[in-house]
Amino acid sequence: MTSKPIFIQHANQLITVSGGTERPLTKEKMNTLQIIEDGSIWLEDGLVKAVDETKELNRQFASRMNEAIILDAKGKIVLPGLIDPHTHIVYAGSRENEFNMRLNGATYMEIMNNGGGIHATTTKTRAASHNELLEESKKRLNSFLKHGVTTIEAKSGYGLDWETEKKQLEVAKQLNEEHVIDVVRTFMGAHAVPANYKENPDEFVRIVIDEMLPEVAKYNLAEFNDVFCERGVFTPEQSRRILEAGKNYGLIPKIHADEIEPYEGAELAAEVGAISADHLLRVSDQGIKKMADKGVIGVLLPGTAFFLMADSARGRKMIDEGVPVALSTDCNPGSSPTTSLPFIMNLACMKMGMTPAEAIVACTINAAHAINRGKEIGSLEVGKKADVVMMDVPNYMQLQYHYGMNHTDTVIKNGKIVIEGGQLCHIN
Ligand code: NIG
Ligand code: FE
């Protein structure tokens, strides 16, 4: 069934974020938004067919206006559907008890090393059925959609045994098929050393490499391979082995790097040719340089720093040094239980010195590149997917100025209206 074309007209600002399809935007290009005043866009067959000033498209499509759904964006802004390139949405349970412990002085790593943290969620996720995980995750996807997010990445990593890692990836696959949000999969078997391998972590690394990675590849369960490279979790040497092994199966490396302590994770990302290094709260100057040289995208997660009450990553410095920066919620039950990517943009401005323009680039075209989708999504250019969001603010700076609020008014995914007046519509 083909749906009607959609014509959005009279946007106060239509922000195309164009110019970054080939490679992510860096330095001053991150701060130079392409904006059409009184802008309009024609969407058809799930794709962007034309973008221009309203008077121009009114003329161009005059004879076809009666076939289209016409949306008036007067007083609002229109931008590409937001993209979250780093989430852990397929999990069971929640960890507000640990939040309370942290408010009373316990640290994230202490809780994890005492069997809580990732281990607590692993226990719950192992016990949950495929369908329970599917239903819980769908709720989170609906919440993402209400915040203007149209594509996400989702990691496994709450199984730490093959059966559960596989279950998580299969749930993510089904979410991609059944939910309007596109879900891109990452295998993260090396998210923590399971309790029964505490005395012999290298044996667990061997299992990830020799037993899990071949299965991921055989059943085409993921595109990316991620590892938590952190003191007390996986060493840079173990991380390197896991990421190199994944490459042999065509899995693109990603890495949780330098989150709690400087640990040369960013350097490793550059050396193994990772598509992104994520977190980077404690990245070294040398690591920043190496990432800039190799074009490794820095996926920054200021919500995680906020929720762990830690200092944020040096986003300003990374952009100034030429690292292509993207932003993400890190949505997970321990260090960042939010689906509000707009709030993450607010934090990027307030805690990392990024500008409102840079925050938009970081959640659209640069985020698309962080999941290898720069050619299909992330900007409103002819031929790209018709993933569009309308925010109820008169200019893009107000997205950050009216912070902590959800301004999402309308979301169009694959050329279909899925959020109207801030509410879900026409979705299963
Ligand atoms: O990206 N740092 C490691 N992994 C997640 C947190 C997972 C959890 O606490 O459940 C993160 O912050
Ligand atoms: Fe994460």
Side-chain angles (χ1 to χ4, degrees), residues 86-88 153 155 158 188 191 226 228 256 259 278-279 301 304 328-332 335:
H86 178 143
T87 84
H88 306 252
E153 179 257 23
K155 302 173 195 296
Y158 291 124
M188 197 177 181
H191 193 195
D226 198 343
F228 189 9
H256 279 59
E259 177 182 353
D278 303 28
H279 284 290
L301 313 133
T304 309
S328 155
T329 60
D330 194 18
C331 179
N332 76 74
S335 66

Side-chain angles (χ1 to χ4, degrees), residues 236-310:
E237 187 274 324
Q238 292 168 329
S239 304
R240 182 192 297 272
R241 274 194 276 144
I242 292 167
L243 296 177
E244 289 291 352
K247 275 160 63 176
N248 294 334
Y249 293 104
L251 296 170
I252 302 171
K254 280 183 169 281
I255 176 165
H256 279 59
D258 306 313
E259 177 182 353
I260 315 282
E261 286 184 35
Y263 206 35
E264 302 199 355
E267 289 85 336
L268 177 62
E271 284 160 27
V272 300
I275 195 164
S276 72
D278 303 28
H279 284 290
L280 303 168
L281 269 58
R282 309 296 305 279
V283 65
S284 69
D285 289 353
Q286 161 92 341
I288 292 177
K289 279 210 170 57
K290 287 197 169 179
M291 284 178 64
D293 283 352
K294 288 278 157 64
V296 180
I297 297 171
V299 175
L300 305 184
L301 313 133
T304 309
F306 174 72
F307 199 65
L308 294 184
M309 296 171 281

Side-chain angles (χ1 to χ4, degrees), residues 12-185:
N12 253 27
Q13 296 183 325
L14 190 134
I15 299 159
T16 63
V17 202
S18 55
T21 293
E22 291 307 318
R23 60 190 63 85
L25 298 174
T26 53
K27 291 198 167 174
E28 52 284 345
K29 287 200 185 124
M30 278 193 73
N31 199 26
T32 322
L33 283 181
Q34 304 304 317
I35 298 176
I36 304 172
E37 310 265 336
D38 194 0
S40 64
I41 186 165
W42 185 277
L43 309 170
E44 191 168 352
D45 299 330
L47 299 174
V48 175
K49 280 285 147 76
V51 194
D52 212 321
E53 289 176 17
T54 302
K55 63 174 179 330
E56 179 53 35
L57 290 198
N58 264 330
R59 203 178 47 75
Q60 207 173 310
F61 289 92
S63 65
R64 299 192 54 207
M65 283 299 164
N66 57 354
E67 351 160 356
I69 298 171
I70 298 180
L71 300 178
D72 192 1
K74 206 168 173 40
K76 303 187 175 109
I77 64 169
V78 169
L79 59 163
L82 304 180
I83 299 163
D84 191 329
H86 178 143
T87 84
H88 306 252
I89 60 151
V90 183
Y91 64 83
S94 70
R95 310 218 301 262
E96 61 277 11
N97 57 330
E98 293 181 6
F99 173 49
N100 208 35
M101 285 159 75
R102 289 194 297 101
L103 290 172
N104 284 295
T107 70
Y108 177 80
M109 289 308 271
E110 276 165 13
I111 293 170
M112 174 164 164
N113 290 333
N114 286 325
I118 293 171
H119 301 294
T121 301
T122 297
T123 305
K124 288 262 165 62
T125 306
R126 284 177 179 174
S129 70
H130 176 102
N131 280 342
E132 283 163 353
L133 283 177
L134 189 76
E135 291 314 311
E136 285 201 36
S137 309
K138 269 190 188 165
K139 284 190 203 149
R140 291 188 266 276
L141 283 184
N142 286 344
S143 177
F144 267 114
L145 202 58
K146 285 186 186 168
H147 288 90
V149 177
T150 49
T151 302
I152 68 157
E153 179 257 23
K155 302 173 195 296
S156 67
Y158 291 124
L160 312 179
D161 60 30
W162 176 240
E163 194 192 332
T164 317
E165 291 292 313
K166 183 164 177 260
K167 179 171 67 181
Q168 281 189 279
L169 291 170
E170 284 171 347
V171 166
K173 184 165 189 261
Q174 196 173 340
L175 289 170
N176 181 52
E177 286 158 4
E178 290 182 2
H179 197 277
V180 293
I181 290 190
D182 286 325
V183 179
V184 172
R185 282 162 283 146

